[in-house]
Amino acid sequence: MSNQNNTIPTIHDFDLNLICEYYLSLDRQGPGSPEVTLKALSFIEGLTAESRIADLGCGTGGQTMTLAAATTGHIVGLDLFPKFIDRLNEQAWEHGVRDRVQGIVGSMDALPFEPESLDLIWCEGAIYNLGFERGLRYFRDFLKSGGWVAVTENTWLTDEHPAEVEEFWNAAYPEIDTIPNKIATMQRAGYEFVAAFKVPEKCWHNFYASQDEANRIFLEKHAGDPAAEAFLAGEAFERALYEKYHEPWGYVFYIGRKA
Ligand code: SAH
């Protein structure tokens, strides 16, 4: 996707290998924390050792390991980047859960599961890749009757938004919307609404702070590479915008059940 009308580079404009290398050096590839993952999981009932769970857009598996420790079922983590999946599988060995946690390379718009075979679909910081509504509708086909979905999604948290924030998000992710509208979308997509809660601001601060060291190493390695520098500039722009305003938007965890 080119971005000729906008001076702010988007992530799509850069070499995917560069993006992969950069994010591989972080524990999490999006804002979240074990506490937040566990809070979302607390709304979900009836999981057993037989449960089938998919963690889509799992990255290097930060939240997958939290899910593995808190559940006894089988978990498949799926992500586009093979190196992220290698890291997830290494972590599964280290955590002693390799017998029931498997990382696989794949795309969340072409899931390798049987229809109606999953008890829970997890997706932190990644459903935007499909879009919230499209993703929820597609995931639903793979859930058993009464199966659960838990996703984080970029959401407007205030009624008013400064113009530069509005402009940025309308270009970067036009599907951003309010909590009531997201809940209505979830219901329209065929789910009973279970819960929604805001991912605390400190998760965003921690996520951006975790990039400091990654930025240093990345810049050192790729000094003078215009693609790498432009990628970092895009990341820095979003971070600066969040640090300047932080109230108007953030991630909200939405938990639903296949109706
Ligand atoms: N869940 C992780 C990672 C979120 S970042 C966390 O919260 O830390 C978004 C992730 O989605 C990245 O790992 C990226 O590689 C992955 N991704 C992007 N497009 C994808 C697709 N079509 N299918 C599967 N994964 C995808």
Side-chain angles (χ1 to χ4, degrees):
M1 190 172 79
S2 75
N3 188 29
Q4 290 157 352
N5 302 325
N6 196 329
T7 50
I8 306 156
T10 76
I11 201 163
H12 305 287
D13 293 336
F14 302 104
D15 183 339
L16 285 180
N17 289 327
L18 281 179
I19 299 172
C20 176
E21 176 197 322
Y22 178 78
Y23 280 106
L24 196 55
S25 66
L26 305 177
D27 286 340
R28 286 288 300 254
Q29 290 71 42
S33 72
E35 294 73 28
V36 168
T37 298
L38 292 174
K39 181 170 175 183
L41 191 61
S42 73
F43 294 101
I44 292 164
E45 294 159 11
L47 294 178
T48 70
E50 302 309 313
S51 295
R52 301 271 151 187
I53 300 167
D55 181 8
L56 306 180
C58 57
T60 57
Q63 73 291 315
T64 324
M65 293 306 125
T66 303
L67 288 174
T71 61
T72 54
H74 293 262
I75 305 178
V76 172
L78 177 140
D79 200 280
L80 269 188
F81 286 125
K83 285 187 181 162
F84 287 0
I85 292 301
D86 290 346
R87 177 67 54 81
L88 184 151
N89 284 328
E90 279 161 28
Q91 287 203 70
W93 280 114
E94 288 159 16
H95 288 73
V97 292
R98 192 65 182 93
D99 56 331
R100 61 187 181 84
V101 177
Q102 185 197 7
I104 61 171
V105 177
S107 183
M108 61 171 88
D109 61 2
L111 292 176
F113 307 113
E114 294 294 318
E116 310 214 335
S117 63
L118 299 172
D119 297 277
L120 167 62
I121 291 181
W122 205 267
C123 190
E124 284 195 49
I127 197 169
Y128 71 87
N129 290 305
L130 295 190
F132 186 70
E133 179 158 10
R134 177 175 163 225
L136 286 177
R137 285 185 188 278
Y138 179 59
F139 297 167
R140 190 177 180 280
D141 295 342
F142 297 91
L143 288 171
K144 294 176 187 170
S145 168
W148 304 80
V149 72
V151 306
T152 54
E153 166 74 344
N154 215 359
T155 303
W156 290 129
L157 300 170
T158 53
D159 294 335
E160 304 286 320
H161 323 122
E164 67 176 316
V165 170
E166 187 111 21
E167 196 183 317
F168 175 76
W169 281 115
N170 283 340
Y173 190 60
E175 220 185 317
I176 189 169
D177 211 333
T178 61
I179 294 178
N181 286 346
K182 289 286 175 193
I183 293 172
T185 300
M186 178 174 241
Q187 291 168 326
R188 214 169 42 240
Y191 295 87
E192 176 193 326
F193 166 68
V194 175
F197 67 89
K198 183 181 156 188
V199 172
E201 266 174 40
K202 74 170 187 302
C203 291
W204 288 79
H205 292 297
N206 292 345
F207 174 60
Y208 290 134
S210 77
Q211 296 181 344
D212 288 339
E213 180 63 4
N215 288 351
R216 201 186 55 71
I217 297 169
F218 192 80
L219 260 185
E220 223 170 71
K221 188 165 166 203
H222 297 287
D225 176 342
E229 286 175 359
F231 165 65
L232 281 191
E235 296 293 289
F237 184 88
E238 185 185 318
R239 177 179 182 175
L241 203 63
Y242 190 76
E243 283 169 357
K244 184 166 169 194
Y245 295 108
H246 55 89
E247 279 102 7
W249 82 95
Y251 272 174
V252 170
F253 233 120
Y254 297 92
I255 296 108
R257 194 161 194 198
K258 184 171 175 176

